[in-house]
Amino acid sequence: MSILIKNGRVVTASETYIADVYTEDEKIVAIGKDLVYQADKVIDATGKLIFPGGIDPHVHLDMPFMGTYSSDDYETGTRAALHGGTTMVIDFILQTQGDTLHNALKIWQSKSQGKAIGDYSYHMAVTDFNDDVAKEVVEMIEEEGITSFKTFMAYKGALMIDDGQMVQLMKVVKKYGGLVTVHATNGDMIDSLIAKNKADGNMSPIYHYLSQPEVTESEASGRFADMLEYTGCPGYIVHMTCEGALNAVRKATQRNQKIFVETCPQYLILDASLYENDFEGAKWVMSPPLREKKDQTALWSGINQGLIQVVGTDHCPFMWDQKLMGKDDFSKIPNGHPAIEHRMELLYSEGVDKGKISLTKYVELSSTNAAKIFGMYPRKGTIAIGSDADIVIFDPKKEHTISVETHHMNCDYSGYEGKKVTGKTETVILRGQVAIENEECLLKAGHGQFIKRGKTSKTVI
Ligand code: URP
Ligand code: ZN
Ligand code: ZN
């Protein structure tokens, strides 16, 4: 299959220019003015933007969590991602405490193989570290192409590891060239605030928010940064929400540390006032919770200051029936919300269209930096000769409205119902095949490939 895309504005992390792009089989083969090729398909992209396929490095598909499973599986989740211009996701494998990483890997392979439509990789969540797991960490890096290790400083009894385990894990990961990522909130503090609120009879969703004040995230982010400095390991903080946590990272960068930060559209756009609508607030019960307007300003500034490099989604959808598990007790509401489909369009609309970030910054945040940090660049994350032909043709002027009626995620509500957005994904190409056209997904389950990733130490940002 060959495709010639004519006259679009190519946008990379460093420049924008009008050109034609020609793809053959799975790769980009030529970029230039007035290219002459006999292609199987020609697309006129006049007036459109040409982005590298989006990479969402934070999704939870078919994940067991809080007594249930996230409602998108690999098929529905990667299809919805493609509709929004995300051609690759990185999901989280969860080690069961007391069990091996390899057993967890097998479970996630059976969830994804033959089902994924878009490309994917895994982070390995280490929830129980010991000498045997240390050997498996090395095997994950050297043999499986899984080079990032997720840790939780919260969710005690299920996912959390203690600081001793964290430091030992960092030492191994550093030695073999990987990266430690973290959900950075102080689990013990949060658990005690939850218990206090419940003892006082405070059971509605707003108490989820009030049980995770900003300090719980700032403290854990600073502690994580300090442990990274002590071990010399590179690190990545997922789903950062607030000014205090960002300031902890600012301090770490003054020590010249390798610490990367991800935030998510919900923290840039939505705020904690949504928890005031009684049980309706359960739609946005996620951890960490939505914060204040001043935090949104801090996060946008952090992006432009280069302290935040990636925008992921933390896509972790639950049906309304599942959210109702916590109707009498906020601590039983499954944490997470549907987001995988809207990341690229929300970031464009709220960021580029509203003048908060440049086009090149947009591509950094939505694709290139994730490819670099997670060891896939330049195969993924850019429009360049030899790169995978993962391409988004984007109409920057088209206005549309987000709704559960039109989204493709397997979730029966939207966290952005009725929100007007400027800029729409029009055509999506995945490894040289048209994936999305005329709002239809043309690829079938099983098209998505597992992408083996390289070592973080070999990539630059
Ligand atoms: O609320 C969230 N974020 N759910 C998914 C698990 C996590 O902490 O990322
Ligand atoms: Zn998390
Ligand atoms: Zn998450």
Side-chain angles (χ1 to χ4, degrees), residues 93-99 101 124-129 133 150-152 158-161 165:
I93 297 177
L94 301 183
Q95 175 196 17
T96 301
Q97 292 183 335
D99 202 351
L101 301 188
M124 177 61 73
V126 176
T127 63
D128 190 3
F129 186 80
V133 172
K150 173 74 180 293
T151 58
F152 291 88
L159 302 173
M160 179 170 154
I161 56 171
Q165 292 177 306

Side-chain angles (χ1 to χ4, degrees), residues 57-60 63 65 92 150 152 155 183 238-239 262 264 287-288 313-316 335-336:
H58 191 153
V59 306
H60 301 279
M63 181 178 82
F65 192 50
F92 293 85
K150 173 74 180 293
F152 291 88
Y155 305 121
H183 171 122
V238 305
H239 55 38
E262 164 200 286
C264 310
S287 291
T313 56
D314 194 10
H315 176 71
C316 191
N335 286 199

Side-chain angles (χ1 to χ4, degrees), residues 148-149 151 166 169-170 173 178-182 224 228 233-236:
S148 48
F149 297 87
T151 58
M166 178 76 88
L169 172 67
M170 284 177 175
V173 170
L179 180 76
V180 173
T181 80
V182 71
F224 179 72
L228 288 178
C233 187
Y236 178 101

